Amino acid sequence: MFKTLKNALKTPDVRKRLLFTLLLVVIFRLGCYITVPGVDSIALSEAMLPEDTTLTGTEGITSLINILSGGAFSRFSIFAMTISPYITASIVIQLLAMIIPSLERLTKEGGEEGRKKINRYTKILTIILALVEAIGIYFAYRSSGIFVDDTFLTGALVVAGLVAGTSILMWLGDQITNKGVGNGISILVFLGIVSTLPGAITTLWNLIIPNGVFSTTGLLLALGIVIGAIILIAGVVFVQQAERRIPVQYSKKVVGRKMVGAQNTHIPLKLAMAGVMPIIFASSFMTFPAMIIQIFVPDIASQTGFLAGLYNFSIATSTSNVGIGYSIANAIVYLLLILGFTYFYTYATFNPAEVSNNIKKNGGFIPGIRAGKPTTEYLSSVVSKLTCFGGLFLAIIAVLPMLMRFTNLNIAFGGTTILILVGVALETVQQLESLLAMRHYKGFLEK
């Protein structure tokens, strides 16, 4: 990795891309400290005191949003909603493409023009979702006293500021993707998580030296957390890079006037084909009822009854301030949802029947497996086993932060954030290597 970065800095074209990306990174971090118009800075600073966790994101359904935004949500900055509306819009468009034939044709056969149209639809849906989410945030926190007043103009300013911030993040993401290095949206999420690293280090330091006094128990606990994080990162890298290679042989055939010889190749099947998407799906599905209830009943946390029970069940994914019964029930449903969404997303992106037909059309076969239906059944069996393991791995990753909350430790990095960090880092390094390879071959051909 360090060698790749060193070679990238030596290459003028790639270095220019890296510097451009760095410039946009600075703009993103500056925007995280620009407060939304209409927010009372004094009231906001009082609401961010350690004893009040309403806006700090350490508890409640906004904890993951605050981590992904690099603390922008706790500061109520213009980037408070992060790029989450765009991610949600992308997921919705992908799901609609499976059931709407015209969108499916644009995705598979539209080429560059089709990709542009899909991107346009995604951005339009992003603005709509951002508007809805901004209105929900305003009504959820209107009674907290962090706004200058309760007038319509103030509400409009807050909503407009939040939507504008999401639009700017969309633009920054596109610019990084087109003119920088890596996937722009992923880079922004990556930066938001990394910016919480100083807070995690401070937490570990306070464990070792609480109140200025050295603690041996705290040192052992901190070492255990660091070793556990290293093991978790190694496991995530292993699962992200692991793949099952299905051998495929192609017989000789005539192409034009030439006889093309037999070829041996393979189909690479990733162990975690769905990536982090099932966790995002399941988390959104679980917290959606709480978000809706909180918009219409701001003081639901202090009430009792069916709605209060549904609210506590929904937020048990991101807080330990509910009963143990809610936490256990939530964990079971959460894990089942992750497994279900893992299978759904995997089979949505990989169709065994389609792959089998393509192999058969090109005169290929899997050794020991007959072409046609037996090949489809074999591929389905392999994908099902891989998906089961990948889904269980994602479920364990998702449960780790829930277990950490019962240890009274406020560690910023959970399993989901580590999964995102590792995935984005690997993707960015691979793109850097591709850019260097293209530059190498271009120079070779020019010579």
Side-chain angles (χ1 to χ4, degrees), residues 234-253:
V236 170
V237 172
F238 172 79
V239 172
Q240 289 276 9
Q241 297 293 87
E243 63 182 21
R244 169 74 182 275
R245 297 183 177 182
I246 306 297
V248 180
Q249 294 182 358
Y250 291 94
S251 57
K252 293 183 179 180
K253 60 181 180 180

Side-chain angles (χ1 to χ4, degrees), residues 239-357:
V239 172
Q240 289 276 9
Q241 297 293 87
E243 63 182 21
R244 169 74 182 275
R245 297 183 177 182
I246 306 297
V248 180
Q249 294 182 358
Y250 291 94
S251 57
K252 293 183 179 180
K253 60 181 180 180
V254 178
V255 179
R257 296 184 179 182
K258 295 182 179 180
M259 176 71 72
V260 179
Q263 296 180 352
N264 296 327
T265 183
H266 65 270
I267 303 173
L269 299 178
K270 287 285 187 181
L271 194 58
M273 207 176 301
V276 75
M277 298 309 297
I279 294 180
I280 296 175
F281 282 174
S283 179
S284 301
F285 189 87
M286 291 297 295
T287 57
F288 182 74
M291 294 177 65
I292 298 299
I293 293 173
Q294 196 174 44
I295 291 174
F296 293 100
V297 189
D299 59 339
I300 187 64
S302 59
Q303 296 186 10
T304 58
F306 174 76
L307 283 180
L310 180 61
Y311 175 81
N312 289 330
F313 169 78
S314 182
I315 67 172
T317 302
S318 56
T319 180
S320 57
N321 288 343
V322 296
I324 188 68
Y326 288 117
S327 298
I328 294 175
N330 182 280
I332 294 173
V333 175
Y334 190 43
L335 296 185
L336 292 176
L337 282 174
I338 291 175
L339 285 172
F341 280 124
T342 300
Y343 275 95
F344 171 78
Y345 198 81
T346 299
Y347 280 98
T349 55
F350 181 86
N351 189 340
E354 185 178 343
V355 174
S356 175
N357 290 333

Side-chain angles (χ1 to χ4, degrees), residues 369-384:
I369 308 294
R370 294 177 58 187
K373 187 176 180 181
T375 299
T376 302
E377 294 176 350
Y378 174 75
L379 290 175
S380 298
S381 175
V382 173
V383 171
S384 178

